[in-house]
Amino acid sequence: MELSLFAPELIALLGGLVLFAAPILGAGSATTWRLAVLAGSATFAGAVWSLPLSGEAFSPGIYYVDAFSQGVKVVVSLGYLLVVLGAREPVTLKAHAWSELPLFVLLASVGMMMMVSATELLTLYIAMELAAYPVYIAIALHRNPAIGGESSTKYMVQGMMASAVSLYGMSFLYGLAGSTYFEAITGQMGALSSTPLFWFGIILLLAGFLFKLAALPFHFWAPDTYEVSPHEVITFVASVSKVAAIAVLCRIMSLVMPAGMDACSVQNVLMWFAVGAMTLGNLAALRQSDLKRLLGYSAVAHAGYALIGVQAMSANGLTSALFYAVGYAAMSLICFLVVATVGRDQDRVSVEAMSGLWQRSPSMALVFLVGLLGLIGLPPTVGFIGKWFLFSAAIEQGQFVLVLVAAINATIALYYYLLVLRQIYLVDAPTDAAPLRWTPALALSAGVGSIVVVAMGVVPSPIWDQAAAAVATLLH
Amino acid sequence: MDTTTLILATTFAPFAGFVIAILFLHRSPQLAQVVVTTSAAVALGGAVQLWLNGPAEPLRYLWFTSGAIDLYFGFLLDGLNLMFGVAVALITLCVIVYSIGYMADDPSKTRYFALLAFFEWAMLSFVYAVDLLQSFIFWELVGLASFFLIGFWYQKPSAAEAARKAFLMTRIGDVGLLIGVLLVMMTAGHFDIPGLLDPDVGLVTRLAPATLTAITLLIFVGIVGKSAQFPLHTWLPDAMEGPTPVSALLHSATMVAAGVFLMARLYPLFLAAETTRSVILVVATITALLAATMAMVDRDIKKVLAYSSISQLGFMLMALAAGSLFAGVFHLITHALFKALLFLCSGLFIHHFATNDLEQIGRSGGRGMRLTTIGLLIGGGALAGVPPLSGFFSKEEIFAALGHGGGSAFTIAAFAAAFLTAYYTFRMIFLVTVPDRIEPHTADDHHEGSAEPWTMALPVVVLSLGAALAGGWGDKIAAALGVEISHHSIGDMLPAIGVVAAGVVLAWLDFGRGDRAGFLTRIPALQSLFSNGWHIDEIYRAVFVRITGWVATLLHGMEVKGLDGGFDRFGVGILGAGSGSRRVQSGWVQFYGGCAVVVVGAIAFYVGMGG
């Protein structure tokens, strides 16, 4: 066992212990928050440091550390840090829970970091649940217990169903391959790929991650949960967990890709999920008056876009999906940071609440504009170039119709994003609206997020090359 | 200065102006104005110098590599780009200087000038782009800039609405363009424009005719949106909700010109695609005629000009489709000059009389504004095609192109459209300049200060010269494009002169003696058809509303019924539109989860058994 390979997760877990102990030892929420920022920074530093490492952290075949896993860990830990920076005063949570939020979110992040390294079915399953449960709890910490309890239960029931389906799929894979190790499964791919039940198992396995991604057919939770969950928690769910979900989908696809044409059925299913998610998400978003719910549907649509890359079953496709996931996480993050600030006093944030944001805080409106331009898919943001990568990956596979559907969807989406934009820039703020203030931490978080959104659009190569290298190690 | 410095200065000066103004000059609009004007002047100087230097080797900088494809950011410096770059920079500078007067009292001048600079940067970068993906990116940015400028007076709901409509409709076209560009990537493996157009290794020799047709048709879909061609033309008349100088820019050298320019840029591809050109010819002809009829009846001076833009863009595309690059580009340039001039003149009227209404301007003494009236006459004359103004010569080239390229039906249609153009243009001129017979003058002297401050007068003078003299630039333009042109004899020109004369005479009979009713008022059916824009917008609205209604009902039904279990309030749920969010509380999670599990299970089963 090589402990240094486990460094980022270990740092995060130690940070988790500190965050657990701090409130017990009497630290206030401000102190805990500082500790959380520290833990996030240390995890991020650890992840960056571990970027060039590769090897197996535990007994062989269980837990890979490579460019792929470490790259995603860098993103997840940075995402955690930014979310926590923005959650200095998570007012939508119960006051006593202020110091608990960073802990739960950190534990979920550890789960996600482990998800992308797991190369054994049970490890993957445990990591997946580790990433899920803290979020269920965090949602339940809503300042209004009725809302929190209900929203958390709904999310949890659906999440558990999805993970049960995944587990069921895993049991088939184990039964057929006689092993839970990915290596063993790929080793027998020749025989397995001609077994129908194997594909049955693979598709069921995908369920848990489609759920995290809010892709069809596990999208139902997204609008509801987005709408009523505490802003700070949903900021995390809407950004960081998407990257982890896409990463694991990429890992699973890389597992079956050597099977070649036999894997086409999976490809087909994912393609239809992509089409369904894009279309349903965008159409349903058209008439939403609740901004968080609208962004929930937009998340469903974006899950569909990202799936385009996953289903392309090529190095370029997986790379573009990863790239887009990272970009999307940044766009989503900055949008929700602003939403959380604007909606401090409300449990729900209507589109109307954004009225005249431009007058209340030009810089906050600008951040939101950057996020929206990204979601719309306009240059110079990552939304444009990311979609471009996804579309060209699909075109390389000759999927014109799919790209056409996606492009039409992007146009439909423009409609509701412009409605929000209009509310921000073209409608006057209510006269009694208080001016909005940046806290330094929030400004830092939103600033980094905005820079990522624009920088990845203008200079895509660093992240793209990193993602391509990651995918190359997956496919080696 | 070497070419690299020059081109970087030309394209990035406006960008620098934009950044400086938007970031630092919010509290000093005067300074923002100076910065942006200077940056536009630098851009013009650079563009002119580049043009004088003549064509140069393209500059390419590797942007990044994705997969097997290298994407470049760079500048293509051939005759077409250099020439059009000058036109863009010149007209933008005119508009910016004019805006100093026009927007003098606007509280958010900084934002306005910054956006103009951004617009110029996007357009120039689009024009000089060496890489097709780069073109596409700046094409989108031009659209984005238009969105913000059209909606600049956001206090007006109609302006916000128009901005959204413009953005949405042009983006519909962009769907086609995007797929076309992706097809180019797949078939050619690169986006280098000179490489794509190369007669030996370019797309034309490498692709099957059907593929080429598909690519060009898809690109044309984008052009239809951007250049406001039928059936996506309805955004342009609404776009005049923006400040008038913005309209001047939008309708002349930027935005709508981008579509035509793209076709000219990729002309060899279109030239080789017969079918595509036939389609374009039909669409452009319909557009030219349709828009001309709408311009005949509108009373809003800016709307008349907007319809005329649509119609003239149709003319340009007709010429390109008929096989004459020269005629299309010639008209693109002359039109840019005279249309910018006309909008600036209309802006002076609007600024002074505070009305868009042609008759009201006439009654308030429009011809009292000498310089503006002269500008209107020159611009209008050029638009109508009165010799020897510029529009006459470029239109004559279009007739010639159609005569030997497009077949007689299109030639007749072009003459008909030119006749209508002369009629509606002079209707506009007469309404503004000839006193009303019944109500000759309403005293309206509450306007203080000079009607034509120098900042607004100077651009009008410059553009008047351009609009008057550009007809003589045919040889230069042909040389820049590297095409041979034949000179037409007076005999060839007679039909064109006759058509224009007929239009002018009819307009004079109707409006030249102080009457306010044209012959169309005697045909109410046509009058109403034309003034309602052939009801096209209403049809769209009806269809769109119906479709979104269906979708909303469907999805809402799904949401509500799903959440509600669909039993206790079956049917009522759909009606309770506002109660959707409340119902979330009732939560029917099992249904969700059940759905998901069943769907995945069924699919997995299907795949497992079938695969």
Side-chain angles (χ1 to χ4, degrees), chain A residues 147 150 153-155 157-158 161-162 165 193 196-197 199-200 203-204 207 217-218 220-221 223-224 227-228 262 265-266 269 273 280 283-284 286-288 293 297 316 348 358-359 369 373 376-380 384-385 388-389 391-392 395-396 398 400 403-404 407-408 410-412 414-415 418-419 421-422 425-428 457-461 464-465, chain B residues 23 26 63-69 71 108 111 133 136-138 140-141 144 147-148 151-152 154-155 159-161 163-165 167-168 171-172 175 178-179 181-183 185-186 191 544-545 548-549 551-552 555 558-559 563 580-597 599-601 603-611:
Chain A
I147 295 183
E150 175 178 341
T153 315
K154 279 162 74 177
Y155 181 47
V157 168
Q158 294 181 59
M161 281 194 191
V165 173
S193 64
L197 272 182
W199 299 109
F200 184 73
I203 289 176
L204 294 183
F218 287 97
F220 292 99
W221 64 274
D224 289 354
E227 183 181 356
V228 293
D262 284 321
S265 46
V266 176
V269 170
F273 285 170
L280 190 120
L283 290 181
L286 281 178
R287 295 283 282 264
Q288 298 303 329
R293 194 174 177 81
Y297 276 116
N316 262 346
R348 297 196 172 80
W358 180 72
Q359 293 154 327
L369 173 69
L373 290 183
I376 294 171
L378 281 175
F384 173 84
I385 204 75
W388 169 263
F389 289 142
F391 292 175
S392 44
I395 287 277
E396 276 170 9
F400 291 102
V403 173
L404 183 66
I408 291 172
T411 311
I412 296 174
L414 178 64
Y415 181 82
L418 286 186
L419 283 179
L421 206 56
R422 176 172 145 234
Y425 280 94
L426 309 184
V427 177
D428 284 327
V458 177
V459 198
S461 11
W464 172 265
D465 293 344
Chain B
L23 288 185
H26 257 291
W63 182 24
F64 67 94
T65 307
S66 108
I69 293 170
L71 292 166
S108 16
R111 185 163 57 102
L133 183 63
F136 183 63
I137 287 173
F138 285 103
E140 293 284 353
L141 287 180
L144 182 65
F147 167 73
F148 281 112
F152 180 74
Y154 55 82
Q155 299 87 343
E161 199 47 49
R164 218 147 56 88
K165 185 172 173 185
F167 205 15
L168 273 167
R171 285 275 291 194
I172 291 173
V175 172
L178 172 69
I179 310 250
V181 172
L182 282 164
L183 260 178
M185 179 195 79
M186 199 182 74
F191 286 121
F544 181 74
V545 166
T548 48
V551 169
L555 292 174
M558 266 165 56
E559 251 186 15
L563 286 160
S581 46
R582 182 170 55 75
R583 218 155 293 202
V584 172
Q585 304 303 319
S586 69
W588 213 59
V589 239
Q590 296 93 326
F591 173 79
Y592 287 167
C595 269
V597 172
V599 168
V600 167
I603 291 171
F605 185 74
Y606 168 78
V607 167
M609 297 307 113

Side-chain angles (χ1 to χ4, degrees), chain A residues 88-179:
Chain A
R88 169 73 184 76
E89 288 177 349
V91 285
T92 39
L93 295 177
K94 290 175 194 159
H96 73 76
W98 282 18
S99 35
E100 292 167 23
L101 175 74
L103 170 65
F104 290 124
V105 178
L106 182 63
L107 290 177
S109 306
V110 174
M112 287 167 193
M113 288 160 84
M114 292 180 66
M115 253 159 65
V116 294
S117 268
T119 51
E120 191 264 343
L121 288 173
L122 285 177
T123 316
L124 180 64
Y125 181 76
I126 291 168
M128 186 173 93
E129 294 295 34
L130 178 58
Y133 276 81
V135 178
Y136 301 151
I137 300 171
I139 290 179
L141 299 176
H142 198 286
R143 60 184 165 197
N144 179 339
I147 295 183
E150 175 178 341
S151 160
S152 170
T153 315
K154 279 162 74 177
Y155 181 47
M156 185 171 69
V157 168
Q158 294 181 59
M160 279 165 35
M161 281 194 191
S163 77
V165 173
S166 270
L167 197 60
Y168 187 51
M170 287 178 185
S171 71
F172 278 94
L173 300 183
Y174 172 67
L176 290 168
S179 165

Side-chain angles (χ1 to χ4, degrees), chain B residues 388-406:
Chain B
L389 300 171
S390 60
F392 169 74
F393 293 98
S394 52
K395 247 183 234 176
E396 172 57 27
E397 291 297 336
I398 295 176
F399 296 134
L402 288 168
H404 49 71

